[in-house]
Amino acid sequence: MTLTAAILLVLALAASAPILHRVLGRATHWLLAAAAGYVAARLGMRFSDAAAGVEIIESYTWVESMGLTFSLRADGLGLMLAVLVSGIGSLILIYAGDYLRGRAELGLFYSYLLLFMASMLGVALADNAILLFICWELTSLSSYLLIGFDHERPSARSAALQALLVTGIGGLALLVGLLFLGHVCGNYELSAMVERSATVRAHGLYVPILVLVVIGAATKSAQFPFHFWLPSAMEAPSPVSAYLHSATMVKAGVFLLARMTPILGGTASWQTTLTLIGGATMLIGAAFSLSSAGLKRILAYSTVSTLGILTMLIGIGTPAAIMAAVVYLIAHAFYKGALFMLAGVISHATGEYDADRLGGLGRAMPMSAAVGALAGLSMAGIPPMFGFVGKELLYEAGMDASPWWIVVTAAFLATHMVLFVVPLRVGLRPFFGNGRSFVNRPHEGALGMWLGPLILAVGGAAGGIFVTVIGERVVYPTVGAIIGMEQSRALPALKLWHGLTPALALSAATLIGGMILFSRRTAIVHALSRLSRFEQFGPSAAYERMLTGINHIATMQTRVIQSGHLRRYLLIILTTAVALIGLNLDSSFDMLQAVDFSNVQPQFVVVCVLILLGALSAVRSRTRLGAVASLGAVGYGVALIFAYFGAPDLAMTQFLIETLIVILFVLVLYHLPAFSIYSSRASRSFDATIAIAFGGLMSWLTLSAATIESHSRISDYFAEHSVSDAHGRNVVNVILVDFRAIDTLGEITVLAVAAVGVYALLRIRRRREEAGG
């Protein structure tokens, strides 16, 4: 299977999911999961090439005139993320099928989920920067649909909008950064940019590029100060939280930083920026995870902390730190995906969302208890779990981070002591201790609800046992894609037992400190609650104030501009046009000398005078019918001018339109009240001034255009290619439907949308009338 085929297959499934769900019913999620699993397996088979240093590149011409290509690349880093996205995605599909069973929109949910999966595969495998950005934005759009899936709830809509706005702003920053990067490199291929990394780092645009790329990554991966959208996004259904906010979407920012390391990394600016942002995010996320009560919010804040750790490791940038980041990322995807799904299972079975009100569920939910134990132990870093390996490597990377190794290691230790409490509260405590009374009678979920988390939890345990195999086939190719294959091969072998090392002592300290924090959590949370007074100065409050301010500005602007009075709209449009265009016109009268008036025929002058008189008559008329008849005379005069200059088709069209308008006006005017004058003389004088100024402006523009000597050969081109290329002899028609077909399609689309809007308004009015009796 090619890389392109993998993405297209998922996109095809996204498009057909609603139909499949209608036809297959409850078997749909198994079919979709099998297809996603097949994609994961085929992509996973490419790791052997990546381990050998072979990169698979597929490239197709995209926009030839701009030198853009649709290019995909499968190196170790891209394959790692792609396999996680498709593999965990297949388990999420199974989980969602039972979690959302009975929902009428389930087929649509599958479609959103698969669209997101295809977008993430594009991010992971893109080798073209513009393609990466497009897929990046598609992840934001599809996540908006998924987070706001329960759109009946205002909180879900608000959370979806918040995620879209924050990540969308970051996406715009990323786009500018990528355009700058392409300008400096002279190429938009990421693999080619690596070869010009020295040029990029020495260029004057390096700092702006770094800042813009980091903003893009920070918003997507919920880094401080953009971290607040992730806990809010827990309004999404649990399958969405488990998929987007543990293993995939939030990792896209970290992935981007890793992808950009060979291009932008290796400088003090890069290291300092990422280390500080990651460190702040790590500590803030850990603190909030301790004080939160809801199952998913606890996991969300711990995810924020983990994302900070990963960013910090990439910022440190040593080979040991990069390897620790890769192992930590994989381990986190396994245990956090399992715990998020487990949180959904618990809430689904009991109706309870508060972690402190859970307990004694082990007997009623044995499979879930097993999942909680395995995933919780991995997150706590207990051997032989894969999470233990990641934590050991993390401490070793911290102690290797000179010259601030003491500060970095202490921050890692403090963070992991706090994060140790999370699996105790979410993975273990709900299943042990005394039983509680719940809204629902506790029961084990359906097969699909515990199979996915169980596979991930067992995978997290097996990862520690088979860590050497995983290291050779997955970790080292991934690290090699970031720091180079030669440096990755020089790294020590990945193994579970490192001996009696300082890192092991730190792991033991984490265990002891975490247990103390867990036992003293109530007092600590009480102390932390005093800090809540400062939340009004935090980024979340700033976002709310910004959103409120924008709404106020929009309301004020709407009141001024969108007054509902046609006269005011015309005044704004015409005066703006006169002010902006008129002030920049050539005020000399030289152009009048260039206009040839010698060929003007008397009959043409007569027609023009009739048009002018018709316009004056329309303005001065004391009856509506008189005004309509005068306007008709103006239109017929314009049609005569078309015919005079050899455009009979336009003249015929003008005649028909004018006739139709006159008839329609007469039919409408028949039902209006008697004619009267509502405006004052001063108001009419002001309107006349504006109208004369605008008319003068248009006349001036027309004369200016008539004096320009056009050397365009576009007319000759259309005449020459009308028959040969478009098989049409009517050049005007060919231009409309062939040469500018996209424009015409756009115009038709606008008309269609307007028609749908009018139809909807009429339907609303009819319903109101029917409701009112």
Side-chain angles (χ1 to χ4, degrees):
M1 172 181 276
T2 64
L3 306 177
T4 308
I7 297 176
L8 291 179
L9 173 60
V10 179
L11 279 177
L13 291 173
S16 57
I19 300 174
L20 288 174
H21 178 61
R22 181 168 297 182
V23 174
L24 301 177
R26 293 173 55 179
T28 307
H29 60 297
W30 294 103
L31 175 65
L32 297 176
Y38 174 74
V39 171
R42 294 303 300 265
L43 291 175
M45 293 169 65
R46 299 295 183 98
F47 268 116
S48 57
D49 294 326
V54 178
E55 293 185 351
I56 302 151
I57 296 179
E58 297 174 11
S59 183
Y60 310 92
T61 300
W62 185 8
V63 184
E64 189 174 5
S65 59
M66 298 176 64
L68 295 179
T69 57
F70 182 95
S71 53
L72 303 173
R73 175 173 54 141
D75 60 356
L77 179 61
L79 284 174
M80 183 271 295
L81 184 62
V83 170
L84 283 179
V85 167
S86 50
I88 295 179
S90 67
L91 301 177
I92 294 294
L93 284 164
I94 296 173
Y95 178 77
D98 282 334
Y99 187 89
L100 298 174
R101 182 186 297 176
R103 291 284 296 268
E105 310 89 350
L106 185 55
L108 202 58
F109 182 83
Y110 291 143
S111 185
Y112 296 160
L113 206 64
L114 289 163
L115 175 62
F116 174 81
M117 185 187 296
S119 305
M120 280 298 302
L121 288 176
V123 170
L125 300 174
D127 191 39
N128 183 280
I130 304 301
L131 176 63
L132 184 147
F133 169 75
I134 292 174
C135 296
W136 181 278
E137 289 300 280
L138 283 175
T139 63
S140 297
L141 180 62
S142 51
S143 67
Y144 169 77
L145 297 171
L146 287 167
I147 295 172
F149 184 69
D150 293 328
H151 52 82
E152 298 86 359
R153 292 188 292 112
S155 57
R157 297 197 299 271
S158 175
L161 179 64
Q162 186 182 69
L164 181 66
L165 289 178
V166 174
T167 58
I169 291 172
L172 292 177
L174 175 63
L175 174 61
V176 178
L178 293 176
L179 292 176
F180 281 170
L181 195 56
H183 169 73
V184 173
C185 296
N187 199 311
Y188 285 100
E189 300 301 301
L190 296 173
S191 53
M193 290 178 180
V194 175
E195 299 173 359
R196 297 182 60 81
S197 58
T199 303
V200 174
R201 288 192 283 265
H203 199 277
L205 286 174
Y206 172 72
V207 172
I209 292 172
L210 186 152
V211 171
L212 292 167
V213 169
V214 169
I215 289 176
T219 54
K220 186 72 83 174
S221 280
Q223 299 293 299
F224 177 82
F226 307 108
H227 62 284
F228 56 89
W229 71 263
L230 182 55
S232 300
M234 293 303 108
E235 292 291 337
S238 290
V240 178
S241 302
Y243 192 34
L244 273 64
H245 306 137
S246 65
T248 54
M249 178 180 169
V250 292
K251 299 289 174 56
V254 175
F255 168 82
L256 178 69
L257 294 175
R259 181 62 88 196
M260 288 294 169
T261 295
I263 304 171
L264 302 175
T267 67
S269 303
W270 175 265
Q271 293 175 340
T272 304
T273 303
L274 297 192
T275 303
L276 291 178
I277 292 176
T281 308
M282 173 182 72
L283 296 172
I284 290 173
F288 278 104
S289 72
L290 194 64
S291 58
S292 298
L295 286 170
K296 288 169 62 176
R297 288 186 73 86
I298 295 171
L299 294 173
Y301 276 118
S302 68
T303 298
V304 169
S305 181
T306 300
L307 295 170
I309 291 171
L310 295 174
T311 302
M312 198 171 175
L313 288 170
I314 294 174
I316 293 171
T318 61
I322 296 298
M323 186 166 73
V326 171
V327 173
Y328 206 91
L329 187 152
I330 297 172
H332 177 264
F334 275 76
Y335 67 66
K336 193 54 71 68
L339 288 175
F340 262 116
M341 284 192 273
L342 179 67
V345 171
I346 294 173
S347 301
H348 194 272
T350 63
E352 182 58 60
Y353 298 88
D354 192 328
D356 297 329
R357 297 177 182 173
L358 292 168
L361 295 174
R363 181 171 297 177
M365 305 173 67
M367 296 305 297
S368 299
V371 170
L374 289 173
L377 291 175
S378 185
M379 183 176 180
I382 303 299
M385 302 296 178
F386 199 45
F388 169 74
V389 180
K391 191 174 62 176
E392 290 277 296
L393 293 174
L394 175 80
Y395 285 140
E396 291 178 357
M399 289 184 287
D400 193 37
S402 59
W404 300 95
W405 68 272
I406 295 179
V407 177
V408 172
T409 305
F412 283 157
L413 178 62
T415 300
H416 276 83
M417 285 181 178
V418 177
L419 293 182
F420 187 88
V421 179
V422 173
L424 297 180
R425 297 180 65 198
V426 178
L428 299 176
R429 184 176 174 181
F431 301 100
F432 298 97
N434 298 325
R436 310 282 181 89
S437 59
F438 300 104
V439 176
N440 303 327
R441 181 182 179 186
H443 60 280
E444 192 63 270
L447 172 64
M449 292 184 65
W450 56 260
L451 180 62
L454 182 63
I455 291 174
L456 288 178
V458 171
I465 299 170
F466 300 102
V467 64
T468 303
V469 177
I470 295 174
E472 292 175 355
R473 298 188 179 180
V474 178
V475 175
Y476 289 107
T478 305
V479 175
I482 303 172
I483 63 173
M485 291 303 295
E486 292 185 4
Q487 288 197 62
S488 71
R489 292 187 179 109
L491 287 167
L494 205 58
K495 53 188 178 182
L496 178 63
W497 177 249
H498 289 207
L500 300 176
T501 62
L504 184 64
L506 290 172
S507 292
T510 303
L511 176 63
I512 297 171
M515 293 299 295
I516 294 173
L517 284 176
F518 181 70
S519 63
R520 303 285 299 170
R521 180 183 161 272
T522 304
I524 295 172
V525 170
H526 179 71
L528 289 175
S529 64
R530 299 175 182 174
L531 301 177
S532 60
R533 70 185 69 173
F534 297 105
E535 289 183 356
Q536 57 181 322
F537 305 109
S540 179
Y543 165 82
E544 295 296 337
R545 285 195 290 271
M546 182 191 71
L547 202 61
T548 304
I550 292 175
N551 285 331
H552 283 165
I553 293 173
T555 303
M556 182 177 64
Q557 171 189 288
T558 303
R559 286 176 180 170
V560 173
I561 299 177
Q562 300 292 328
S563 61
H565 299 287
L566 180 61
R567 174 178 173 273
R568 188 171 298 178
Y569 293 159
L570 287 174
L571 280 177
I572 292 173
I573 294 171
L574 299 183
T575 52
T576 303
V578 170
L580 295 180
I581 302 175
L583 294 177
N584 292 287
L585 280 179
D586 183 3
S587 59
S588 69
F589 290 88
D590 294 341
M591 65 176 183
L592 295 178
Q593 300 175 4
V595 179
D596 185 7
F597 293 100
S598 60
N599 294 326
V600 178
Q601 301 295 323
Q603 58 271 29
F604 178 70
V605 175
V606 172
V607 173
C608 291
V609 171
L610 288 175
I611 292 175
L612 186 59
L613 291 175
L616 290 173
S617 175
V619 173
R620 299 291 300 172
S621 178
R622 296 290 178 177
T623 64
R624 292 194 182 94
L625 286 177
V628 171
S630 300
L631 285 177
V634 172
Y636 290 136
V638 173
L640 288 174
I641 292 178
F642 288 151
Y644 177 79
F645 283 101
D649 51 345
L650 286 178
M652 183 62 69
T653 305
Q654 184 73 22
F655 276 122
L656 292 174
I657 289 175
E658 289 299 331
T659 304
L660 184 61
I661 287 176
V662 169
I663 294 172
L664 291 176
F665 266 133
V666 170
L667 292 174
V668 172
L669 296 179
Y670 177 77
H671 297 281
L672 293 179
F675 181 84
S676 62
I677 297 175
Y678 296 99
S679 56
S680 64
R681 179 180 291 275
S683 177
R684 293 197 298 276
S685 300
F686 179 73
D687 294 348
T689 303
I690 297 297
I692 292 171
F694 186 73
L697 172 67
M698 297 308 296
S699 301
W700 200 266
L701 288 174
T702 305
L703 291 173
S704 300
T707 59
I708 297 174
E709 295 183 5
S710 174
H711 300 285
S712 173
R713 292 178 295 178
I714 192 69
S715 300
D716 297 335
Y717 173 84
F718 286 144
E720 182 180 348
H721 293 81
S722 178
V723 177
S724 59
D725 291 359
H727 309 286
R729 297 186 181 280
N730 187 320
V731 179
V732 175
N733 288 347
V734 169
I735 291 173
L736 289 176
V737 302
D738 284 282
F739 291 124
R740 55 181 294 268
I742 299 298
D743 291 344
T744 305
L745 180 63
E747 293 166 358
I748 294 172
T749 304
V750 170
L751 289 175
V753 170
V756 171
V758 171
Y759 176 73
L761 292 174
L762 293 175
R763 292 267 301 176
I764 292 173
R765 180 179 179 182
R766 178 178 298 178
R767 287 180 181 175
R768 287 179 178 173
E769 291 176 351
E770 291 175 355

